Amino acid sequence: MLSLDFQGGPTPGREAPPIYRAIACFFALLALLLSAQSATAQNINSSYTQFAPVTIPAGGGGTTTVTPPTHSALARAQEGTMATDFCTASQASGTGDASDCLQAALNYMCNKTTNGGGLLYIPAGVYNVSKTLSVPCPGIEIVGAGIGARRSLNASPPVKGTVIHALVGSDANLPVISANYAGTEDYGFGFSIRDLEIFNQPGTRLGAFIALEHYSVVTIANVALEGACTGISIKGGNTINILNSRIDSYDLAACDGVVMTGRPSQSYRQLDTVTFDHVVVSVGTGGNCYRATEFVQTVQWNNTICETKGRAIKASCDIETQNNCPGFFTLLDFEVESHEPGGYKIIELTDLIDGFKMTDSWIRGGSPDFPADNGLYIAPKRFPASATNAITVTLANNWFKYAGGPCIYVEASHFSAVGNHIYGCNRFNIGAAGIQLGSSFATVTGNIFCGDDTLGDIGWTMAAGGMINAGVSYTNWTGNVFSKSVPGPQNHVNACQAGVINNSTTANNNTSNNVGP
């Protein structure tokens, strides 16, 4: 047997020690692996054409044929489907209209396999879109290269992210991107759009920038919607998540950042479980950062900001059955900055049927000269209040400042307010209080009413910290602080002239054990 002589070479009849035989086997195996990897790498990186030539409409009513460039399998696995493979040079450079080529890419994704779907990557650049980009099937993920320029396509340095420039085509009310699964009994399952901007010269393209209808499990993340009259429209569906995004309608009047409603014509008609997390929305005069109507169930806001010349949230119900009115809203660290002209209810909820909870939030109702009517207004509109249909309202550790009337007005609820700071109410000098209760069964404890702050911009008094309407009973006001008539930092006076004004002759209203007048 031939063996290795580790002192001079092969020596017949002598075997190598086991450790050296193992080393020899290792290097032999390594050589085989390197050979296989080389062959695999050549196969992966070999060029090939994934798509057949595509014919798309061209200017002047004609057509043009686009032959997609070749890409390696490795690059294709990393990119998903490249939207620009379907575009001409002008469409991909921001000089032509990219509506048709982007639609061709979406159509391909839904037709390439039995189930369709997948990731559509839109590289950095500006894409002019005058039509609606319709998502033909569920399971699509549209991904850009990041948010581009804010409010301007002539930014310096040039745009580096992905910007869809919404132009006005045949109809200014058309949505820009539409994922619509209506007409079927089941929800469309799965849609995502992230890392891009949709831009519009304010007031020109009025349709929703993103329109969702009858979809389930949707994520909109890291998206900027600039100059939108309606940023996002949601009709029916469930498990909708909007994250780390901005919607700007501030320069437009009577526009809504987000509109939510159900689908009455469908068997599955509710819109349920909608979450906003780290979202900033700006709206102009008469607008709503968020508007909800019938068949909207659970909605939650986390760490969100609303800049408004109208309302932050408006929920209403225009149908005959109370059970189909908006359901339960939860606000955590929700910040509202209300600007001129004022005169609106910042959070206006009518005929909410399940409940409302707000914690650790900041509601600033305008300015001293142009305050909102109320910071929070909850009252029935179509359906009279009663002990059987009252909702649960919980306010904890919030900050309310400025209102022409009461900062908080509540009817038709079982109400709890704990640890809030409420001041600057009654700007219209109408005898208003910080909290006005129009419903029975309430606990108001540990709150601070009236008082000034370091801005020193409140130069008027409040009639009282709290007010109980006629006929209201079973309310408990304890452990609250009602500030006295002492000047604030700027020698302004914002004091409670009374602690709690009780206008009810009904028994069981406790207003003792508070501090102040």
Side-chain angles (χ1 to χ4, degrees):
M1 177 179 179
L2 182 64
S3 66
L4 296 178
D5 181 353
F6 294 94
Q7 294 183 351
T11 302
R14 183 180 177 186
E15 291 188 3
I19 187 170
Y20 293 109
R21 292 201 305 271
I23 293 173
C25 289
F26 170 77
F27 281 106
L29 180 60
L30 180 61
L32 289 173
L33 290 173
L34 290 174
S35 176
Q37 184 181 35
S38 176
T40 302
Q42 291 176 3
N43 182 58
I44 287 178
N45 290 313
S46 60
S47 294
Y48 77 105
T49 301
Q50 181 177 3
F51 307 122
V54 177
T55 300
I56 62 175
T63 60
T64 184
T65 300
V66 179
T67 302
T70 58
H71 285 266
S72 69
L74 180 60
R76 187 63 62 190
Q78 293 171 339
E79 297 167 355
T81 298
M82 185 77 74
T84 48
D85 285 353
F86 297 85
C87 297
T88 63
S90 64
Q91 290 171 324
S93 64
T95 56
D97 190 335
S99 301
D100 293 324
C101 70
L102 295 179
Q103 186 63 58
L106 288 167
N107 293 345
Y108 166 78
M109 295 189 67
C110 289
N111 295 328
K112 66 179 180 178
T113 64
T114 301
N115 296 323
L119 186 150
L120 176 65
Y121 178 66
I122 305 178
V126 177
Y127 301 84
N128 296 320
V129 172
S130 64
K131 302 177 182 178
T132 295
L133 299 180
S134 297
V135 178
C137 67
I140 295 291
E141 183 176 5
I142 300 174
V143 180
I147 294 174
R150 182 177 185 272
R151 290 179 169 271
S152 175
L153 298 180
N154 300 314
S156 180
V159 172
K160 293 184 178 180
T162 299
V163 177
I164 294 177
H165 185 198
L167 303 176
V168 177
S170 60
D171 187 348
N173 295 310
L174 292 175
V176 180
I177 297 176
S178 173
N180 188 334
Y181 210 64
T184 63
E185 290 303 316
D186 295 327
Y187 293 122
F189 189 84
F191 173 66
S192 175
I193 180 169
R194 57 185 172 88
D195 300 325
L196 56 78
E197 174 180 344
I198 302 178
F199 171 87
N200 171 42
Q201 296 294 341
T204 55
R205 185 79 176 256
L206 301 178
F209 277 15
I210 300 175
L212 306 172
E213 191 161 352
H214 218 55
Y215 258 79
S216 174
V217 189
V218 173
T219 298
I220 299 172
N222 306 320
V223 168
L225 308 177
E226 303 290 344
C229 187
T230 299
I232 301 173
S233 170
I234 310 172
K235 295 182 179 180
N238 64 62
T239 318
I240 313 293
N241 300 289
I242 294 92
L243 314 170
N244 305 319
S245 296
R246 175 179 174 83
I247 302 170
D248 187 357
S249 305
Y250 196 70
D251 295 327
L252 302 171
C255 290
D256 301 320
V258 179
V259 177
M260 296 173 281
T261 187
R263 289 284 302 164
S265 62
Q266 303 291 127
S267 296
Y268 300 107
R269 52 192 178 180
Q270 278 77 21
L271 170 60
D272 196 6
T273 315
V274 183
T275 301
F276 301 92
D277 197 335
H278 289 84
V279 176
V280 178
V281 180
S282 302
V283 295
T285 303
N288 305 286
C289 285
Y290 302 91
R291 180 164 60 88
T293 58
E294 53 267 16
F295 297 103
V296 177
Q297 298 300 310
T298 305
V299 185
Q300 180 162 329
W301 290 264
N302 303 317
N303 301 291
T304 55
I305 297 175
C306 167
E307 299 176 300
T308 178
K309 293 182 181 179
R311 304 173 190 85
I313 301 174
K314 179 177 174 58
S316 59
C317 189
D318 295 322
I319 58 178
E320 298 298 331
T321 305
Q322 184 181 16
N323 289 337
N324 293 325
C325 292
F328 194 91
F329 292 175
T330 301
L331 283 65
L332 174 62
D333 195 7
F334 185 83
E335 180 177 329
V336 179
E337 185 76 26
S338 176
H339 302 284
E340 300 177 9
Y344 296 96
K345 298 170 174 61
I346 299 301
I347 299 177
E348 181 179 351
L349 311 175
T350 57
D351 292 325
L352 200 66
I353 62 169
D354 290 327
F356 178 84
K357 179 180 180 181
M358 183 166 68
T359 58
D360 301 320
S361 297
W362 187 84
I363 309 297
R364 185 177 185 270
S367 66
D369 295 326
F370 299 94
D373 290 346
N374 312 104
L376 172 64
Y377 178 90
I378 301 178
K381 184 177 67 173
R382 295 176 61 84
F383 304 102
S386 69
T388 58
N389 67 15
I391 66 172
T392 298
V393 175
T394 302
L395 305 178
N397 303 317
N398 302 295
W399 190 78
F400 289 86
K401 180 179 180 179
Y402 296 143
C407 283
I408 300 168
Y409 181 85
V410 178
E411 292 182 12
S413 68
H414 297 167
F415 179 77
S416 173
V418 180
N420 302 284
H421 190 183
I422 304 165
Y423 63 114
C425 320
N426 192 43
R427 181 65 179 93
F428 297 152
N429 194 26
I430 56 176
I435 295 177
Q436 183 172 346
L437 282 180
S439 58
S440 301
F441 304 103
T443 297
V444 183
T445 184
N447 302 282
I448 300 175
F449 292 88
C450 308
D452 213 336
D453 60 16
T454 56
L455 295 177
D457 54 359
I458 305 174
W460 59 92
T461 60
M462 292 163 51
M467 183 176 294
I468 304 172
N469 284 1
V472 171
S473 61
Y474 292 98
T475 68
N476 185 32
W477 302 70
T478 60
N480 300 290
V481 176
F482 306 104
S483 75
K484 296 181 179 181
S485 182
V486 294
Q490 306 273 341
N491 204 33
H492 289 169
V493 176
N494 177 237
C496 293
Q497 294 177 318
V500 180
I501 298 175
N502 186 359
N503 295 317
S504 177
T505 58
T506 307
N508 300 313
N509 289 305
N510 175 33
T511 61
S512 61
N513 299 319
N514 299 291
V515 177

